[in-house]
Amino acid sequence: MTSRVALVTGGTGGIGTAIVKRLAQMGHKVATNYRNEEKARAWQARMREDGIEVFLTRGDVTSPEEAAAMVHAVEAALGPIEILINNAGITRDTPFHRMRPDQWMEVINTNLNSCFNVTRPVIEGMRERKWGRIIQISSINGLKGQYGQANYAASKAGMHGFTISLARENARYGITVNTISPGYIATDMVMAVPEEVRAKIIADIPTGRLGTPEEIAHGVAFLVDEQAGWITGSNLDINGGHHMGW
Ligand SMILES: NC(=O)c1ccc[n+]([C@@H]2O[C@H](COP(=O)([O-])OP(=O)(O)OC[C@H]3O[C@@H](n4cnc5c(N)ncnc54)[C@H](OP(=O)(O)O)[C@@H]3O)[C@@H](O)[C@H]2O)c1
């Protein structure tokens, strides 16, 4: 297997950690960003205990300048980025008729504008080298909508519009661009939902359980594989059958 350089944004989070681990276990050199250095270094130490080495660099993905600096730091340390996983994301749930402008902007900036900020400094190098894998971690709720998530669903649906345009523009350059839409995964993001609401969600999932971060990382491993070169512009639903499209 060819060892590649991978940047996973939000790699210290629930799903990000599983993606980072899986890519490292595949033999790739993996980097992620942080905003809180102390928290990130503690996370890095836990990863080392599992035998995983991760390059850390400061970077808020809502800032084009910080995202570019983050990309340059990774490339200076590890080499050109060949795999990019746009995973950093947040929720600021509230019914739309009560939603404040800052709740709208924060979610769009973190989930969607970040894709521009991080991918833009990476794409030209990928085109020159004629190889790349870009994956957006979207959400089931970008496909089906959700009460209280007009901001989140708009950002997540926007990520797939980004995917399919980049896929068309870059297919001739050996770059694949895909979306993964996770269903409800047992991370802090979902465990923060009140228990009775969570029970209702689980009752609605055909497999009868939440997903695991590792099950999302498995989808990433599949799409970054050398043999996945003809899969581009697709959306991979990983949701236990919670939402089925075609
Ligand atoms: N959990 C689910 O059930 C679920 C379902 C569908 C889709 N998703 C999507 O999967 C992705 C990961 O979710 P998760 O559950 O792993 O969330 P999480 O545990 O809250 O992790 C989110 C990560 O993103 C980082 N981040 C947030 N804002 C950032 C910013 N402005 N700049 C840089 N990094 C930032 C966080 O860093 P800090 O530590 O600095 O905050 C953290 O590392 C998200 O895009 C989410 O929307 C999750």
Side-chain angles (χ1 to χ4, degrees):
M1 195 215 70
T2 311
S3 175
R4 308 274 185 187
V5 173
L7 170 61
V8 181
T9 67
T12 62
I15 292 175
T17 298
I19 296 173
V20 164
K21 276 192 181 168
R22 183 67 186 259
L23 291 174
Q25 284 159 352
M26 289 168 79
H28 299 305
K29 287 179 255 171
V30 189
T32 191
N33 61 302
Y34 63 82
R35 292 180 295 172
N36 176 329
E37 179 154 15
E38 200 183 333
K39 198 170 133 194
R41 296 287 169 205
W43 173 87
Q44 188 180 40
R46 288 197 298 280
M47 297 295 280
R48 279 201 183 120
E49 283 168 16
D50 290 344
I52 310 272
E53 195 53 48
V54 189
F55 178 77
L56 280 180
T57 182
R58 175 175 300 281
D60 184 327
V61 296
T62 64
S63 153
E65 293 77 21
E66 284 198 31
M70 169 179 98
V71 165
H72 295 141
V74 173
E75 298 203 324
L78 304 181
I81 294 168
E82 298 163 293
I83 297 171
L84 171 61
I85 317 296
N86 282 313
N87 166 73
I90 58 166
T91 52
R92 293 290 180 267
D93 296 357
T94 195
F96 184 69
H97 56 274
R98 287 205 294 270
M99 193 174 285
R100 299 187 311 264
D102 62 295
Q103 290 172 315
W104 175 267
M105 292 308 295
E106 209 183 330
V107 168
I108 300 292
N109 279 334
T110 307
N111 300 358
L112 181 58
N113 292 342
S114 61
C115 293
F116 173 83
N117 295 339
V118 182
T119 311
R120 183 64 188 81
V122 167
I123 194 84
E124 287 181 65
M126 284 184 177
R127 286 167 66 96
E128 276 160 25
R129 294 185 301 276
K130 300 213 164 18
W131 200 93
R133 295 280 186 271
I134 300 172
I135 299 174
Q136 273 61 251
I137 306 297
S138 177
S139 167
I140 184 175
N141 290 343
L143 297 163
K144 70 179 193 56
Q146 184 57 277
Y147 187 91
Q149 290 200 325
N151 49 1
Y152 185 78
S155 73
K156 293 297 183 179
M159 287 172 85
H160 191 57
F162 176 74
T163 288
I164 54 183
S165 299
L166 255 64
R168 283 186 187 278
E169 290 180 9
N170 296 288
R172 302 259 163 144
Y173 295 83
I175 303 167
T176 70
V177 191
N178 292 289
T179 299
I180 291 179
S181 296
Y184 287 82
I185 310 298
T187 64
D188 294 347
M189 192 181 260
V190 167
M191 298 320 267
V193 172
E195 198 174 343
E196 64 278 13
V197 177
R198 211 166 54 240
K200 274 193 200 147
I201 292 169
I202 293 171
D204 213 26
I205 303 175
T207 52
R209 65 169 176 87
L210 298 173
T212 67
E214 290 71 26
E215 286 169 322
I216 305 307
H218 186 65
V220 170
F222 168 70
L223 288 172
V224 304
D225 193 274
E226 303 289 329
Q227 293 185 71
W230 216 51
I231 304 175
T232 195
S234 71
N235 170 55
L236 179 58
D237 289 320
I238 308 180
N239 62 28
H242 199 176
H243 178 75
M244 302 183 200
W246 63 284

